[in-house]
């Protein structure tokens, strides 16, 4: 469950997670036929285009590099990692990293502007379109950044560093 927590300017556009895991997160590394088998077991294809997300029903696979994905699925899908491991005969690694990350949503007409306060990527729609994802630095923290809509971004942040990222977003302020 996401909640809005007022804290100065800009927060009405920043969704902050509560303490409980809101999603299953799997770090998947696979090549060849293994990535196809794992994708079928997970219910979302592991895309072949780097830095692009593939959505399937209620889950997504974010391609972060050659043969590497971060798969996001509902927390209710308890045995997802086991299914993926069983599907991967060889040449694959599936690690449940659900407890490591939390998600932060940044939305609104100035979402890219808010992120650019601490992220040097060009987030213009023609250079970072909907569906694009990447690892990047936000301030001093590595995050996974995914543009989910024209005015919405999803960040995957290490749980212990989320308060820092949240504070940075709050410091940007509200210009709307």
């Amino acid at each position: 469950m996401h909640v809005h927590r007022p804290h100065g300017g800009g927060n009405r556009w920043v969704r902050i997670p509560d303490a409980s895991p809101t999603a299953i997160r799997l770090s998947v590394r696979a090549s060849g036929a293994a990535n196809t088998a794992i994708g079928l077991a997970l219910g979302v294809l592991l895309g072949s285009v780097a830095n692009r997300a593939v959505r399937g029903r209620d889950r997504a696979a974010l391609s972060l590099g050659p043969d590497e994905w971060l798969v996001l699925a509902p927390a209710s899908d308890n045995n997802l990692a086991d299914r993926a491991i069983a599907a991967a005969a060889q040449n694959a690694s599936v690690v449940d990293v659900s407890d490591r990350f939390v998600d932060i949503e940044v939305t609104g007409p100035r979402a890219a502007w808010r992120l650019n306060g601490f992220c040097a990527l060009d987030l213009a729609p023609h250079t970072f379109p909907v569906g694009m994802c990447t690892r990047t630095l936000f301030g001093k923290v590595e995050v996974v950044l995914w543009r989910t809509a024209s005015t919405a971004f999803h960040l995957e942040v290490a749980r212990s560093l989320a308060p820092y990222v949240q504070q940075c977003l709050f410091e940007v302020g509200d210009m709307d």
Side-chain angles (χ1 to χ4, degrees):
M1 175 178 179
H2 294 281
V3 295
H4 289 282
R5 293 188 187 155
H7 180 82
N11 299 3
R12 65 185 169 141
W13 304 108
V14 178
R15 284 198 332 193
I16 301 168
D18 62 16
S20 62
T22 58
I24 292 176
R25 295 164 176 88
L26 300 178
S27 174
V28 177
R29 290 181 179 251
S31 61
N35 67 9
T36 301
I38 291 170
L40 290 172
L42 295 175
V44 63
L45 295 178
L46 303 180
S48 60
V49 179
N51 300 102
R52 296 292 179 171
V54 174
R55 288 186 181 202
R57 293 181 312 194
D58 55 355
R59 54 204 67 217
L62 284 61
S63 175
L64 300 177
D67 302 330
E68 179 182 6
W69 297 266
L70 177 63
V71 176
L72 307 174
S76 60
D77 203 344
N78 297 341
N79 63 352
L80 191 62
D82 294 337
R83 289 196 320 257
I85 291 167
Q90 59 185 350
N91 299 327
S93 168
V94 178
V95 179
D96 188 332
V97 294
S98 301
D99 291 329
R100 179 175 184 242
F101 292 103
V102 295
D103 57 295
I104 297 174
E105 303 290 332
V106 180
T107 62
R110 296 183 58 86
W113 176 85
R114 282 182 178 78
L115 290 167
N116 278 146
F118 286 85
C119 177
L121 288 179
D122 181 354
L123 298 177
H126 63 282
T127 56
F128 202 92
V130 173
M132 190 162 197
C133 58
T134 191
R135 274 193 195 97
T136 190
L137 287 178
F138 184 88
K140 296 182 179 186
V141 174
E142 180 182 298
V143 300
V144 173
L145 178 64
W146 171 27
R147 185 177 219 138
T148 57
S150 62
T151 60
F153 293 85
H154 175 101
L155 284 83
E156 287 289 322
V157 181
R159 182 176 300 279
S160 62
L161 299 171
Y164 167 79
V165 172
Q166 292 166 1
Q167 187 60 43
C168 291
L169 287 166
F170 297 154
E171 287 180 20
V172 172
D174 190 0
M175 297 293 289
D176 296 326

